[in-house]
Amino acid sequence: MTSQPTSPSLVARVLRSPTLLYTALAGLSRASSILMGPFLTRRLTTAQYGDLAFYQSTASVLSMLLSVGLTAAVSRFYFEGESREAALRTSGSIARGMLMLVVGGATVFAAVIAIAPLSPDTRHHLATTLLAAAGSALVSIPVSLTRARQLPLQVAAFASIEFGGLVLSTLALVGAAQRGLDGALEALALSGLLSGIAATAYVLLLPGALHRETLVRGLRFSAPFVPHFIANQLLTLGDRWFLKANGLENELGPYALASQLAAPIGLVVGAHNDTASARLGETVRTGGAAQLRLSFPSLIRSYLRLTAPLCGMLLIASPLVPWVFSSRFETAVEFLPLLLLSILIEAAYFPATNVLFFANATSRIPILTGISGVASIALNVLLIPRYGAWGALAARAVAMTLRTALALMFARAALRVTVQH
């Protein structure tokens, strides 16, 4: 009697599916804002929740500035040349340089915070935000490189450190110690510290000594990404700053919650992007620009097929929000339709920038994000004082549409030039 083959276990299927695994790991790293939303909304006021969102967005921008965009060079140079060992040494050399720059930059920012004429609360909030930003910048090195190398279990290790530190610290400081906003920001700082220590150990174990020439090469590649990152942050997070600047913290809280409810869609799309970009890099390594051009239309469709059903499911489930979260945040449900529309439009942006990345046309990325960022600022300044959070949503939708349209146009132009040469 022959035994029938058993179906693969769920764990085995997940381990063979990088998109599913990366989605789960990204969910771990954002557990405080997504999985712990019900916990935080019941312990923070709408204004405190809005302030938390403001400092989280500030940490994201600081992280980009501290890294000087070198995360992109660490992963991109891994796909250069036929020898993966030599490419890993190059990435390791750039990673060491990035480590030095992040630590040095954080020290400078810390000195400025220490001597600036700030209130004790603001100084404390900025100091914890800086520590969170430095940890985020450092942990981006192993996360991006292990994803490029398609080593999901190593990604899991760093995601687990970030998850564990953030959740345990939040439960202890916001829940047990009842420290409110201070505790939530201190939890971010502790998570950043743990992640930074782990990332530093990873970088020091990489092959490749720090060489000035290699670091300069990496900076030349990554320099265009700095204004790109800043403009991207203005597009995705700048609206929170404008709401805060206009004294609309009570609207910022539900607005931030709506963004966090939609964040799982970003997790799935981001995980798909991690998998697709790594595979696209290998495609370029073996098939060149011609294969890149052939893959572009199907690549766009894969992102849209993934995003549209997720947006629809969240919209259908949105009436459950007041049951899960504090009723003080029920207006978040009203914000979701327009927010989901901008996310759906944004889905086509990611494959277009991947094409620019591998077609060596990264100089066009800051142009398109810069134009879109300026448009976002102008619209936020014009609309938020009059329409509040609704103005912020409208500004986001228009700016995202502009960014996606420019990215698609530049990607097609880059492919024509690359294939002709």
Side-chain angles (χ1 to χ4, degrees):
M1 183 180 209
T2 59
S3 60
Q4 296 296 322
T6 58
S7 60
S9 68
L10 176 61
V11 172
R13 291 198 302 270
V14 169
L15 289 176
R16 286 202 299 266
S17 172
T19 296
L20 288 176
L21 185 56
Y22 289 153
T23 301
L25 297 176
L28 286 180
S29 68
R30 298 189 184 182
S32 178
S33 60
I34 301 173
L35 300 178
M36 298 193 69
F39 174 81
L40 289 171
T41 55
R42 285 173 168 79
R43 286 159 179 81
L44 302 178
T45 66
T46 53
Q48 288 177 326
Y49 201 78
D51 281 337
L52 176 60
F54 168 77
Y55 284 111
Q56 285 174 326
S57 64
T58 302
S60 296
V61 174
L62 278 175
S63 176
M64 298 296 182
L65 291 174
L66 291 171
S67 68
V68 204
L70 280 171
T71 306
V74 169
S75 58
R76 175 64 181 88
F77 286 4
Y78 174 72
F79 293 108
E80 285 197 350
E82 296 182 359
S83 170
R84 289 181 175 84
E85 292 74 16
L88 183 59
R89 286 195 295 272
T90 301
S91 293
S93 178
I94 296 172
R96 282 176 164 78
M98 180 174 162
L99 172 63
M100 177 187 68
L101 291 173
V102 170
V103 173
T107 302
V108 172
F109 275 112
V112 171
I113 293 172
I115 64 176
L118 303 169
S119 68
D121 283 345
T122 302
R123 195 186 312 277
H124 177 64
H125 293 165
L126 288 175
T128 53
T129 299
L130 175 61
L131 189 53
S136 177
L138 290 176
V139 82
S140 70
I141 300 172
V143 168
S144 64
L145 189 52
T146 52
R147 283 176 175 169
R149 298 175 66 193
Q150 301 186 56
L151 300 172
L153 293 181
Q154 290 190 25
V155 182
F158 289 99
S160 298
I161 292 171
E162 191 174 11
F163 170 80
L166 189 56
V167 171
L168 293 177
S169 299
T170 301
L171 291 174
L173 295 170
V174 179
Q178 298 184 357
R179 287 187 54 76
L181 175 62
D182 286 347
L185 291 173
E186 289 161 2
L188 286 173
L190 285 172
S191 174
L193 180 62
L194 289 173
S195 298
I197 291 172
T200 299
Y202 174 88
V203 170
L204 295 178
L205 290 172
L206 284 174
L210 173 60
H211 294 294
R212 179 179 177 276
E213 296 78 8
T214 305
L215 179 58
V216 170
R217 182 181 168 217
L219 287 169
R220 285 175 179 165
F221 174 84
S222 66
F225 286 92
V226 176
H228 160 69
F229 286 142
I230 294 173
N232 255 354
Q233 295 303 315
L234 289 173
L235 279 166
T236 58
L237 301 173
D239 44 15
R240 302 181 185 187
W241 299 351
F242 285 105
L243 287 167
K244 170 78 172 175
N246 282 275
L248 299 171
E249 290 89 348
N250 287 323
E251 288 191 47
L252 175 55
Y255 182 87
L257 178 59
S259 299
Q260 289 163 2
L261 289 171
I265 299 174
L267 294 179
V268 177
V269 175
H272 177 69
N273 189 57
D274 290 332
T275 305
S277 60
R279 289 174 176 168
L280 194 61
E282 294 296 343
T283 297
V284 174
R285 191 200 300 273
T286 58
Q291 189 60 40
L292 182 63
R293 184 177 185 178
L294 290 174
S295 304
F296 189 36
S298 61
L299 195 62
I300 295 174
R301 288 194 295 271
S302 73
Y303 281 78
L304 293 176
R305 283 197 302 265
L306 181 66
T307 307
L310 293 173
C311 289
M313 286 188 289
L314 179 56
L315 198 59
I316 293 170
S318 61
L320 298 175
V321 170
W323 294 79
V324 178
F325 300 87
S326 170
S327 60
R328 298 191 303 269
F329 294 80
E330 61 184 355
T331 53
V333 178
E334 301 173 12
F335 297 149
L336 275 174
L338 191 53
L339 178 62
L340 292 174
L341 176 62
S342 68
I343 290 174
L344 183 60
I345 294 169
E346 187 183 9
Y349 162 79
F350 296 104
T353 52
N354 280 338
V355 167
L356 292 173
F357 191 73
F358 289 109
N360 292 319
T362 55
S363 60
R364 300 184 185 186
I365 295 177
I367 296 174
L368 68 93
T369 50
I371 293 172
S372 306
V374 170
S376 176
I377 292 172
L379 289 168
N380 277 304
V381 169
L382 179 65
L383 298 176
I384 286 178
R386 181 174 297 182
Y387 302 108
W390 287 106
L393 285 168
R396 179 188 176 98
V398 173
M400 288 300 179
T401 301
L402 177 61
R403 184 178 72 160
T404 299
L406 290 172
L408 290 170
M409 182 180 70
F410 287 158
R412 291 191 176 100
L415 285 174
R416 284 196 297 270
V417 171
T418 304
V419 171
Q420 287 172 0
H421 288 78

